[in-house]
Amino acid sequence: MKKFTMYFTNALIALLLSVSIPGYGQTKKLPNVVILATGGTIAGAGTSSTGSSYTSGQVKIEAMIDAVPNIRSLANLRGEQLANVGSQDMNVKVWLDLANRINELLKSKDVDGVVITHGTDTQEETAFFLNLVVKSDKPVVLTGSMRPSTALSADGPLNMYNAVAIAASPLAKGYGVMVLMNDDIHSAHDVKKMITTPVQTFQSPLEGLLGTCIFGEVEFFHKPFGRHTVDSEFSVEGVKELPRVDIVYTCADVSTDLIDIMVKAGAKGIVIAGVGDGNMNAGTLEAAKRATKAGVPVVRASRVPVGAVLIKGEIVDADYGTVSSAELNPQKARILLMLALLKKDRSREDLQRLYIEY
Ligand code: ASP
């Protein structure tokens, strides 16, 4: 009887400890992570596991979570389906919905991190947009896949597992919005899709990887570049749409009337995907000057995937009223300009400051 009482007392102490000390015994308290699904190849399905043809955005989030072994051992998970599109169809409305929902979720002390499943074609754009308008230092991680869910060696399940591990990790606080693909953690500022179809397509060629996550083991190498999230001056609270900003892709002998056509069609800002160091032919440069004089800002980025555009290079921005995109590629430079133009009458100098700081 004495022995039984001793066992009983020990069991009771163990139970009380496991409830009151996190990590003691079996019942460790898991972080709470919400997965917001938007579609993409990670939710894609094809008719053959070895064929290259498939359709994006076919599988719903609950089925995607259930397909990842052990993912529920990382966090208490909840999924929400915000959209189910190939990210070539991503748009400002979904961006605003995502930003508002993430800000709402992360305000709650019951949510520790957010994962977004997203197509890879425009993933870097959504990541950069959110990096500027999410108002929390809790982890926000985008992930996707290059192979559809039905493919042999689909990369989606492990990407999702690792993304949840990052969102659940206390180490990941304060890194801004991240992209997890193929074991690599990228900052939203730096990440680029560099190759059309293989799993190693995402790279951060200028600033380098933020870290890695290998079978759920998170490691960071350095802090991200630029202002973001809680340190960002941008907000989309109450915003229903963003100003139209168009991109002009340049090449040898590019048509010189493109900027005028875009401005006439209603563009409030223009980004040039210039050649080399943000250069363009003489006619396009004159059109850029005309646009800036008429109050339509023109930002010079480059079609070259890696490198900064110099403020004083072959083109000196002050001579044409233009602005350099610094390290941002044309598609991210466009997002910064769309957000910047929510505030009226920004000077050229103020716009240039934004490209230097963000
Ligand atoms: N077109 C697809 C998308 O962006 C490609 C992918 O997800 O990898 O949704």
Side-chain angles (χ1 to χ4, degrees):
M1 184 62 187
K2 202 172 160 205
K3 212 170 166 193
F4 172 78
T5 316
M6 207 174 80
Y7 279 142
F8 179 76
T9 313
N10 285 348
L12 190 67
I13 289 169
L15 181 72
L16 287 174
L17 278 174
S18 71
V19 169
S20 57
I21 301 177
Y24 183 91
Q26 297 296 310
T27 45
K28 136 165 145 225
K29 194 173 170 291
L30 289 174
N32 298 319
V33 171
V34 179
I35 305 184
L36 302 178
T38 69
T41 298
I42 193 166
T47 49
S48 154
S49 62
T50 50
S52 58
S53 162
Y54 69 97
T55 309
S56 278
Q58 300 297 296
V59 185
K60 296 263 174 61
I61 184 59
E62 287 306 331
M64 285 164 68
I65 295 172
D66 289 343
V68 185
N70 297 330
I71 197 166
R72 290 190 191 274
S73 68
L74 298 171
N76 298 314
L77 284 181
R78 186 155 60 76
E80 291 179 20
Q81 194 79 46
L82 250 80
N84 213 356
V85 294
S87 73
Q88 54 272 44
D89 285 319
M90 189 47 60
N91 57 45
V92 169
K93 183 184 174 306
V94 181
W95 283 350
L96 294 172
D97 288 350
L98 269 172
N100 290 328
R101 186 65 186 130
I102 292 167
N103 282 331
E104 192 181 353
L105 286 167
L106 293 182
K107 248 186 224 157
S108 161
K109 64 174 183 12
D110 296 330
V111 179
D112 299 293
V114 168
V115 167
I116 300 147
T117 56
H118 196 291
T120 62
D121 288 349
T122 62
Q123 191 172 55
E124 64 192 82
E125 291 168 60
T126 302
F128 185 63
F129 172 76
L130 294 174
N131 204 35
L132 300 179
V133 299
V134 164
K135 300 286 170 208
S136 170
D137 66 354
K138 294 178 186 174
V140 175
V141 189
L142 283 91
T143 194
S145 77
M146 296 307 294
R147 298 182 184 136
S149 64
T150 46
L152 190 64
S153 295
D155 51 330
L158 185 53
N159 284 345
M160 229 166 105
Y161 184 86
N162 283 333
V164 169
I166 300 166
S169 169
L171 293 178
K173 250 190 160 187
Y175 281 85
V177 175
M178 294 163 268
V179 167
L180 177 286
M181 288 290 288
N182 202 32
D183 296 352
D184 291 336
I185 308 172
H186 302 268
S187 156
H189 178 276
D190 312 332
V191 67
K192 294 171 168 68
K193 188 175 193 181
M194 296 288 285
I195 326 175
T196 51
T197 59
V199 294
Q200 72 277 21
T201 176
F202 280 89
Q203 296 174 23
S204 293
L206 201 57
E207 288 95 349
L209 285 183
L210 269 195
T212 56
C213 184
I214 299 171
F215 291 110
E217 284 300 318
V218 182
E219 190 180 356
F220 284 100
F221 306 147
H222 62 81
K223 290 280 181 190
F225 172 87
R227 293 174 62 179
H228 60 79
T229 56
V230 287
D231 189 32
S232 165
E233 68 200 78
F234 301 106
S235 163
V236 288
E237 211 186 316
V239 171
K240 296 275 173 275
E241 55 186 35
L242 297 179
R244 172 173 167 171
V245 174
D246 290 330
I247 298 176
V248 177
Y249 194 95
T250 62
C251 56
D253 206 21
V254 62
S255 306
T256 56
D257 55 359
L258 296 177
I259 292 180
D260 297 316
I261 291 169
M262 288 170 176
V263 171
K264 209 165 161 208
K268 301 288 180 268
I270 302 284
V271 173
I272 312 277
V275 291
D277 183 22
N279 291 319
M280 62 204 85
N281 62 10
T284 304
L285 196 51
E286 282 312 312
K289 197 172 182 178
R290 265 199 305 283
T292 61
K293 275 207 167 136
V296 178
V298 177
V299 176
R300 291 187 310 116
S302 178
R303 69 177 195 176
V304 179
V306 186
V309 167
L310 301 179
I311 294 171
K312 289 180 185 167
E314 277 186 84
I315 295 172
V316 175
D317 280 306
D319 294 346
Y320 295 92
T322 55
V323 167
S324 147
S325 75
E327 284 94 15
L328 293 181
N329 62 17
Q331 53 272 36
K332 289 185 193 172
R334 172 176 174 262
I335 288 165
L336 185 51
L337 190 53
M338 287 162 106
L339 287 170
L341 293 177
L342 286 172
K343 187 173 153 194
K344 296 263 170 284
D345 301 324
R346 282 194 193 263
S347 66
R348 191 188 77 83
E349 290 68 26
D350 192 34
L351 283 174
Q352 188 62 76
R353 171 190 68 81
L354 296 178
Y355 283 90
I356 291 167
E357 292 182 1
Y358 292 85

